[in-house]
Amino acid sequence: MKEIVLVKNGELVLKGLNRNSFEDVLIKNMRRHLADIGQFTFTKSQSTIMVEPENEDTDLDDAVKALGKVFGIAALSRAAVCEKDMEDIIRTAKEYLADELLLAKTFKVEAKRSDKKFPLNSPQISRELGGQLLKAFHHLKVDVHNPDIVVTVEVRDRYAFVRGNNIKGAGGMPTGTSGRAAVLISGGIDSPVAAYMMAKRGIELISVHFASPPYTSELAEMKVMDLLKRVAAYSGTIVTYVVPFTEIQEAIRDHCPEDYFTLVMRRIMMRISGEIAKRQNCQALITGESVGQVASQTIYALGCTDSASDLPVFRPCIGMDKDEIIAISRKIDTFDISIQPYEDCCTVFTPKHPKTRPKLQDVIDTENLISELDRMCETAIQNAKRVFIK
Ligand code: ATP
Ligand code: MG
């Protein structure tokens, strides 16, 4: 039996005239996610995209799994292709959906007919198929309000399709339709979640990670790359800049009062990331900060870090509790990696009593105690290692 995958667009339908180009980006992204699985043909039709394998032995389970991570897809389902003939539609539904129908207690049939020449109209198709399914599966009852399974029949121009329940898609907007931003990525729980959330809104990601060898280890850096791979499974390739941060952190330690260490460090991270972001045509920065989570994330501290770059800073975790952030990190499979115990440069030279109500001018004055900061920032940018994460 020939099978295809039917994909329902998400918010794309809202985009009016842009809809076509949004769909094209979505198809390009689907193609990329399916590249290792097989060759597929994509056909747009109303708010559905038909994904048809070119070879019969293509594994559609793998295809559905991969498409489940493509942003911009609201729902998807496998469907059986059959002739535009009522007998074939009935035979296909009974056979193709047998397992699901045996498990269900209630069902309803929904029919859509885009080919108006088909001899039965939609209510007639539903009635006919519903009656036949009741005869074949005696335990089933019809429930039009809350059925266990909705059997959908679509009669289109060349074929008819039969399918069972939809699977929920990744939602959001196709990656690449909302511009580009640089995520400051640490090895923690929050920043991979922040990256995922903004990619879900259609933003293409690059990322910046600060490493301070020998205070931070190679393993810590590998952990970050593993986290980014998990995010890239959704967002597509993430070009990553690993910025050498040791010289700057030692300069902060040597020149600044201890209670300002973290704040000055965070401002310099923002400044360097902002600069890399602009050179890579990004329109915003992304961090995993959440109000009040630690001393450097009080409302006062966030105000100080915000002003270190003139790009807007997106903080999608800002109003979330840690357990809400953890729930997302589990969903996207980053949690287990995030809790591996490697040191981050944020835990190097941490003050015992960090300032929680800093004044911006005081922080800037402290920062200015570091001579040659401009030179050090530019050197760090020039020496950043570029890695392609797929
Ligand atoms: P996370 O769980 O994301 O590490 P956190 O709660 O540990 O966050 P901080 O360590 O204060 O918080 O970091 C706040 C934010 O700063 C992070 O979410 C991340 O965006 C950025 N950040 C922290 N350390 C690094 C780093 N080494 N490289 C790049 N960005 C970093
Ligand atoms: Mg951290």
Side-chain angles (χ1 to χ4, degrees):
M1 189 178 301
K2 187 173 156 70
E3 267 191 285
I4 61 163
V5 182
L6 292 175
V7 164
K8 293 267 171 220
N9 296 340
E11 289 176 47
L12 288 185
V13 275
L14 302 174
K15 295 293 167 188
L17 288 175
N18 285 333
R19 181 166 140 189
N20 232 329
S21 61
F22 272 61
E23 281 177 341
D24 290 343
V25 177
L26 179 59
I27 290 174
K28 196 180 91 206
N29 294 350
M30 288 199 270
R31 214 183 276 284
R32 204 183 50 226
H33 277 76
L34 292 171
D36 294 337
I37 296 167
Q39 297 279 340
F40 295 83
T41 312
F42 300 82
T43 315
K44 297 191 252 182
S45 162
Q46 286 117 21
S47 60
T48 305
I49 297 170
M50 288 181 276
V51 184
E52 200 173 330
E54 287 177 14
N55 297 313
E56 276 183 18
D57 54 356
T58 304
D59 190 333
L60 275 200
D61 276 341
D62 286 350
V64 168
K65 213 166 143 195
L67 292 173
K69 290 189 170 173
V70 180
F71 293 130
I73 296 179
L76 66 164
S77 64
R78 292 167 75 139
V81 181
C82 59
E83 297 300 323
K84 287 169 38 173
D85 163 82
M86 217 40 227
E87 253 178 54
D88 200 33
I89 290 172
I90 291 164
R91 189 174 345 108
T92 306
K94 281 187 199 165
E95 225 180 280
Y96 183 63
L97 300 175
D99 290 352
E100 285 173 71
L101 289 169
L102 284 169
L103 286 173
K105 291 196 179 76
T106 55
F107 81 111
K108 77 168 173 182
V109 178
E110 264 179 17
K112 290 173 199 160
R113 184 185 64 146
S114 55
D115 173 8
K116 301 295 175 203
K117 287 196 227 97
F118 191 72
L120 276 66
N121 65 23
S122 301
Q124 288 168 330
I125 301 172
S126 299
R127 222 172 304 131
E128 175 69 19
L129 177 59
Q132 294 295 331
L133 291 177
L134 283 170
K135 266 191 208 156
F137 299 86
H138 294 292
H139 70 289
L140 279 182
K141 289 199 169 62
V142 174
D143 179 348
V144 289
H145 299 296
N146 192 21
D148 294 335
I149 172 169
V150 180
V151 174
T152 303
V153 179
E154 297 188 35
V155 181
R156 302 235 175 183
D157 47 352
R158 281 190 301 151
Y159 305 105
F161 304 113
V162 175
R163 64 177 171 86
N165 287 338
N166 271 330
I167 310 163
K168 201 166 180 302
M173 318 252 286
T175 304
T177 55
S178 302
R180 212 165 133 87
V183 56
L184 282 76
I185 189 96
S186 70
I189 296 169
D190 310 332
S191 47
V193 168
Y196 161 84
M197 287 173 75
M198 296 319 302
K200 185 173 175 187
R201 294 309 303 160
I203 288 184
E204 185 189 343
L205 299 176
I206 71 164
S207 81
V208 183
H209 174 66
F210 294 88
S212 290
Y215 305 104
T216 61
S217 68
E218 193 123 312
L219 285 173
E221 198 179 308
M222 275 163 59
K223 174 186 171 182
V224 172
M225 300 304 144
D226 287 344
L227 284 171
L228 284 169
K229 270 186 210 154
R230 295 284 162 91
V231 179
Y234 291 89
S235 68
T237 306
I238 304 175
V239 179
T240 295
Y241 294 82
V242 181
V243 178
F245 209 40
T246 317
E247 186 189 22
I248 291 172
Q249 281 205 283
E250 287 178 341
I252 298 172
R253 177 197 60 191
D254 295 342
H255 298 286
C256 303
E258 188 186 290
D259 48 355
Y260 282 95
F261 279 3
T262 313
L263 267 174
V264 171
M265 180 193 70
R266 309 260 330 119
R267 275 181 57 86
I268 299 175
M269 279 184 173
M270 292 299 228
R271 169 172 168 177
I272 292 177
S273 303
E275 198 48 50
I276 293 176
K278 279 192 251 172
R279 292 180 199 181
Q280 299 307 319
N281 302 317
C282 294
Q283 295 87 40
L285 295 175
I286 301 167
T287 77
E289 290 160 314
S290 161
V291 162
Q293 203 186 72
V294 286
S296 59
Q297 294 173 33
T298 63
I299 199 165
Y300 308 96
L302 289 170
C304 294
T305 35
D306 230 34
S307 67
S309 166
D310 50 13
L311 286 177
V313 183
F314 295 158
R315 300 178 169 94
C317 301
I318 197 73
M320 294 167 78
D321 291 343
K322 196 74 187 187
D323 53 358
E324 292 170 314
I325 301 173
I326 288 175
I328 300 178
S329 78
R330 285 191 197 279
K331 187 177 98 176
I332 62 171
D333 268 343
T334 53
F335 184 72
D336 291 341
I337 304 174
S338 291
I339 57 173
Q340 288 168 11
Y342 299 117
E343 66 299 323
D344 182 61
C345 68
C346 284
T347 54
V348 175
F349 314 135
T350 43
K352 282 195 205 68
H353 304 289
K355 276 249 177 292
T356 52
R357 288 187 171 226
K359 294 206 171 61
L360 178 59
Q361 194 51 54
D362 294 344
V363 188
I364 292 172
D365 292 345
T366 309
E367 202 172 281
N368 287 337
L369 296 172
I370 308 171
S371 52
E372 286 197 83
L373 183 57
D374 291 350
R375 196 267 312 150
M376 278 190 258
C377 287
E378 189 52 40
T379 306
I381 295 171
Q382 291 304 327
N383 292 337
K385 183 172 74 182
R386 200 168 130 113
V387 191
F388 286 81
I389 307 287
K390 284 191 188 147

